[in-house]
Amino acid sequence: MRVLILGGDGFCGWPTALHLSARGCDIGIVDNLSRRDIDAELGVQSLTPIEPLAARIEAWREVGGREIDYFPLTLGRDYDELLDLLAEWRPDAVVHFAEQRAAPYSMKSSSHKRYTVRNNVCATHDLLAAIVESGQDVHLVHLGTMGVYGYGATSGAIPEGYLKVMIESDGELVEREILHPVSPGSIYHLTKTQDQLLFQFYARNDSLRITDLHQGIVWGCQTEETRADPRLVNRFDYDGDYGTVLNRFLIQAAVGHPLTIHGSGGQTRAFINIQDTVRCIALALSRPPDAGERVKILNQMTECWRVRDLGGMVARLTGAAVEFVANPRHEASENELAACNQTLIGLGLEPVTLEAGLMSDIVEIARAHADRVDLSKIPSASTWNAERAAVLAADGAEERLRAVQ
């Protein structure tokens, strides 16, 4: 199978490229290296020292014995180059990671909001239009987010994409199945809801074969392939914009910083290990929808945890202290969450769970590279609105950080 990985230099894209390559797929990476540019903008670096993409690809050639092609273009801007690439490289499938992926980054300022919308929505639409114009039968697999559903009150487990409802027709109640209502909690999540609508249109209008994976929060760093050589190591983000909650807890523990839990810590979230992410992508590629079939939506998550319970688990594992701080996000202080994930489990996914998983390995990675940590980048400084900004200022986060330093 020939697979283009869009955003193949990123946190999920790089290990996915290696995982599929190791299983015999011909891989091409499309990436404009914007994630590395954002590191420079934010003045922060991956905890793990990541090599330039060319060095990563060469290392995989030596270690994995397989070639990976690289195409430096920008989705949403370089449309003609994308169309030419589809015509010349002729992929069987495209895996789409090429979107700005951080909710806090998307809320930093009006400029960041506009960038996220322009980058994400235009990238997705250009890709869909190019597949149609190319006339090729390409299976598109997109990495979405569980966050499209929102984190409000739910009744029962969230189904995979579609919701059965009863509507009135000619005085009778008739059962229908609709796209699950959305409730995005950030500009980033909003762009993912727009992706959903684009997919629905192109699947219906042009019979594109599309799988949309609503993924939980990713934890962990390494996969089987990235462990094979230090030059293949995956990135590990710990900063307040890009560091996911568990990875941030683990690096805080490694450097003796209290685990900072926002608000009450009553926010419940879905989680998945990075190794399971790449396995799920492979499983989705192995079971594409038929042309003319509706968009296949899968909940790509393995378990749900309340944030304060997650912090307690890390504190017990590492001996770290826990500190409750003001929440920069505009969200409910408490929520319940359950989601169906039967499709991927039915396809053979055997989940790596937090309690029985690889947390100790991640702690060791964090401790090994603790000298690369910039303590000033740990706090979450991006606020959702003016009210949240005032609350954080009153909470004295900067003063507490200086005390730790």
Side-chain angles (χ1 to χ4, degrees), residues 176-377:
R176 293 283 187 270
E177 204 164 31
I178 63 171
L179 191 65
H180 194 287
V182 298
S183 183
S186 72
I187 293 296
Y188 157 73
H189 293 103
L190 178 62
T191 64
K192 295 291 189 176
T193 69
Q194 297 304 303
D195 287 344
Q196 283 199 121
L197 294 177
L198 289 168
F199 296 148
Q200 294 292 322
F201 175 81
Y202 276 92
R204 183 178 65 251
N205 191 69
D206 298 284
S207 297
L208 294 194
R209 297 186 296 137
I210 302 171
T211 300
D212 195 10
L213 302 171
H214 289 175
Q215 180 165 259
I217 296 171
V218 182
W219 61 278
C221 174
Q222 298 279 58
T223 64
E224 179 183 350
E225 291 76 29
T226 64
R227 290 189 188 93
D229 187 286
R231 294 170 295 172
L232 301 175
V233 69
N234 200 21
R235 67 178 301 126
F236 188 122
D237 297 308
Y238 66 88
D239 63 284
D241 284 307
Y242 275 88
T244 57
V245 60
L246 178 58
N247 284 0
R248 291 184 69 246
F249 282 167
L250 291 169
I251 193 58
Q252 287 174 331
V255 299
H257 189 289
L259 311 185
T260 50
I261 296 177
H262 296 147
S264 69
Q267 309 91 350
T268 304
R269 299 291 187 263
F271 291 88
I272 186 170
N273 180 258
I274 186 65
Q275 181 70 66
D276 284 342
T277 289
V278 301
R279 289 171 179 155
C280 288
I281 298 294
L283 289 170
L285 288 169
S286 72
R287 297 291 191 280
D290 295 328
E293 186 180 340
R294 73 180 183 181
V295 177
K296 181 181 285 188
I297 301 176
L298 310 180
N299 290 338
Q300 187 165 297
M301 46 73 64
T302 55
E303 55 189 327
C304 294
W305 281 85
R306 201 176 298 276
V307 171
R308 60 173 173 257
D309 295 335
L310 193 64
M313 183 196 302
V314 175
R316 290 190 297 273
L317 177 69
T318 64
V322 173
E323 182 178 7
F324 289 83
V325 299
N327 192 351
R329 302 187 181 217
H330 182 67
E331 63 182 355
S333 60
E334 305 274 338
N335 76 283
E336 301 294 333
L337 178 67
C340 299
N341 63 350
Q342 297 98 324
T343 303
L344 288 166
I345 298 298
L347 290 175
L349 178 65
E350 298 179 359
V352 176
T353 62
L354 285 168
E355 290 185 313
L358 306 173
M359 281 181 59
S360 59
D361 290 352
I362 308 167
V363 171
E364 290 307 311
I365 291 172
R367 287 174 175 161
H369 298 289
D371 61 314
R372 292 171 57 85
V373 175
D374 181 345
L375 290 176
S376 70
K377 303 301 181 182

Side-chain angles (χ1 to χ4, degrees), residues 27-163:
I27 299 298
I29 285 176
V30 174
D31 205 301
N32 65 357
L33 307 183
S34 61
R35 180 64 190 88
R36 294 175 186 251
D37 293 339
I38 289 173
D39 274 350
E41 174 203 340
L42 297 177
V44 69
Q45 60 185 349
S46 165
L47 178 68
T48 50
I50 55 173
E51 296 286 338
L53 181 55
R56 284 176 141 186
I57 291 173
E58 176 60 29
W60 181 244
R61 182 184 296 114
E62 296 173 12
V63 174
R66 294 186 61 82
E67 301 285 337
I68 291 178
D69 295 332
Y70 170 50
F71 307 100
L73 60 87
T74 298
L75 261 72
R77 186 192 70 186
D78 302 332
Y79 180 81
D80 291 338
E81 290 86 344
L82 174 62
L83 189 59
D84 290 342
L85 177 59
L86 293 176
E88 294 168 10
W89 208 78
R90 301 193 66 81
D92 300 297
V94 173
V95 181
H96 180 19
F97 295 112
E99 295 181 279
Q100 192 292 104
R101 67 173 177 84
Y105 184 84
S106 77
M107 301 297 291
K108 287 183 76 67
S109 69
S110 59
S111 174
H112 292 87
K113 292 173 183 177
R114 291 167 52 237
Y115 166 75
T116 300
V117 170
R118 183 171 62 251
N119 182 83
N120 293 7
V121 178
C122 291
T124 297
H125 185 255
D126 273 16
L127 174 60
L128 292 164
I131 292 174
V132 172
E133 188 172 352
S134 75
Q136 296 180 47
D137 180 22
V138 177
H139 176 205
L140 170 59
V141 175
H142 171 255
L143 192 70
T145 170
M146 288 290 296
V148 300
Y149 300 122
Y151 297 108
T154 60
S155 55
I158 295 173
E160 297 193 283
Y162 300 96
L163 182 67

